[in-house]
Amino acid sequence: MLPVIAIIGRPNVGKSTLFNQLTRSRDALVADFPGLTRDRQYGNGKVGERPYLIVDTGGLVGDEHGLDGLMADQVWVAVEEADVVLFLLDARDGINLSDEQIANRLRRSGKTAHLVLNKTDGQDITAVTADAYSLGLGEPAMIAAAHGRGVSGLMDRVLADLPAVQEADEASDPEADGIRIAVVGRPNVGKSTLTNRMLGEERVLAFDQPGTTRDSIYIPLERDGNRYTLIDTAGVRRRSKVSEAIEKFSVIKTLQAINDANVVILVLDAHSEVSEQDATLAGHVVESGTALVLAINKGDGLDDDQRQWFREQLDRRLPFLGFAERYFISALHGSGVGNLFAAVHDAYRAAVIKVATPELTRLLERAVHEHQPPLVRGRRIKLRYAHQGGQNPPVIVIHGNQTDRVPPTYKRYLNNYYRNALHLVGTPIRLEFRTGENPYQGKRNKLTPRQQRSRKRMIQHVKKK
């Protein structure tokens, strides 16, 4: 499982700004206004040499009541489930009573914590650094999250203390342990019912109560001579054990399951609109690069018009999932569930495909011949050759000149061209563009005087003709 790093601290100390730096995104709302983040935000960390999950939390004020108390409960659940905590302080404001109260509770939690002084650019922080030591959490790290200064060094320090984590495609051999399938979806769409149907038994407790899961369950399965491991992320506890904080924090378990899986089955409800939760979850799957199958549950009894209505919703709300196969199923009655296993195999084979460089280059040449790249400042973008740069998902590296100016529309064209030509279904494809050095650059100055005179005469001769 990927390690979890939680960011905590008082309101307006820069937690969301740091989250955005670590995820290289703008997913967290950022504004100069205290208490803007009232719930947790989750993302994949991209700063540092190792993968991890990062959690942005709401602001703590020390002694919380009312809404602040509910927010604080969410924060401390995040601390409980995290492997490492980043306690963020504002170097411009100094240390106050709220920071001391947070530090006291953080020490009692027994969690590995790193003290981080933010907004240190242009500041004389000698006094606040001395005060920070008094919190008893070790030497503070100095950063300026808004500009990214010190963030890389901070993560090198944090990740060095975490145990090594195997990459998802290396942690298990699918030939020996079976393809890992994560069943994910928003609450109450039928994830556990589908898991039980795929298992052929009531292995996972399921009932009509949203949000009844905290931990993901890994379940071995053998079907038609093939081995699998199902990762269920819903329906494992009784109603009396459910609390709002635990229900919401199950998102972390779901994100870990997505990263650990070979293939994700995203379950949607055919009787409700595609929601923002569905889109967010789908976005996490695509970002992780995991192969994907869409299971549209409760689809029995729908007529053609209703099915078309839902397809149009998918095209409108989730256009980035065009690569994934869609299946209308009934987890309760079993109709269509058998098709999911074949779809999982197709998606996994596509995700781990190996394609030789000559084949990828030939397809690139054919794609360019059929549709030329655009002109940039009067010069045509030239794409010369391609090779495979990785698997799960397939990475295709394209070399040429001016590749940094390839427009998004042409990138989508190439992505779709490779997908259709290689028959890749159920897996995202990642294209990387690299501009090579011009082998003739600077050669003119290295010509001998005689060669230069000869070259000049040749040019004049061509111009006369």
Side-chain angles (χ1 to χ4, degrees), residues 1-6 19 23 41-45 50-55 82-84 155 159 251-257 259 284:
M1 285 294 192
L2 294 182
V4 179
I5 300 173
F19 174 90
T23 58
Q41 182 74 251
Y42 310 89
N44 288 290
R50 299 170 51 191
Y52 54 93
L53 293 175
I54 191 78
V55 188
D83 298 290
V84 175
M155 295 316 297
L159 295 174
V251 174
I252 278 292
K253 300 300 181 182
T254 299
L255 296 184
Q256 288 179 318
N259 282 280
H284 281 298

Side-chain angles (χ1 to χ4, degrees), residues 51-70:
Y52 54 93
L53 293 175
I54 191 78
V55 188
D56 179 27
T57 64
L60 292 169
V61 296
D63 185 16
E64 290 90 358
H65 301 283
L67 179 59
D68 287 338
L70 295 176

Side-chain angles (χ1 to χ4, degrees), residues 104 107 155 282 303 309 317 327 339 355-356 365 388 459:
N104 289 337
R107 285 198 306 273
M155 295 316 297
D303 59 30
W309 170 79
R317 300 295 302 274
Y327 292 90
N339 295 329
V355 188
E365 292 171 348
Q388 188 165 359
I459 293 173

Side-chain angles (χ1 to χ4, degrees), residues 325-450:
E325 289 192 287
R326 309 168 180 180
Y327 292 90
F328 284 90
I329 68 165
S330 171
L332 185 62
H333 301 109
S335 59
V337 173
N339 295 329
L340 298 180
F341 287 96
V344 163
H345 277 276
D346 290 342
Y348 178 70
R349 280 195 295 267
V352 298
I353 191 174
K354 293 182 180 180
V355 188
T357 296
E359 173 69 4
L360 292 176
T361 301
R362 183 183 64 81
L363 291 174
L364 176 64
E365 292 171 348
R366 200 166 73 188
V368 169
H369 177 73
E370 294 179 12
H371 180 35
Q372 286 279 334
L375 290 171
V376 177
R377 296 179 182 176
R379 296 177 57 204
R380 180 77 64 186
I381 295 174
K382 292 183 180 179
L383 305 178
R384 295 189 174 91
Y385 72 96
H387 66 88
Q388 188 165 359
Q391 296 172 282
N392 205 12
V395 178
I396 300 174
V397 183
I398 297 176
H399 295 257
N401 70 344
Q402 300 189 94
T403 58
D404 57 327
R405 295 174 177 170
V406 176
T409 53
Y410 199 79
K411 290 179 180 180
R412 287 195 294 270
Y413 162 72
L414 291 176
N415 193 300
N416 291 332
Y417 197 96
Y418 273 116
R419 179 178 305 286
N420 295 330
L422 298 173
H423 307 290
L424 299 181
V425 176
T427 181
I429 301 174
R430 290 180 177 167
L431 299 183
E432 295 181 4
F433 292 85
R434 297 179 186 173
T435 297
E437 294 183 0
N438 185 349
Y440 300 102
Q441 188 173 2
K443 291 287 187 181
R444 181 179 301 181
N445 296 332
K446 295 181 181 179
L447 297 177
T448 65
R450 182 176 180 180

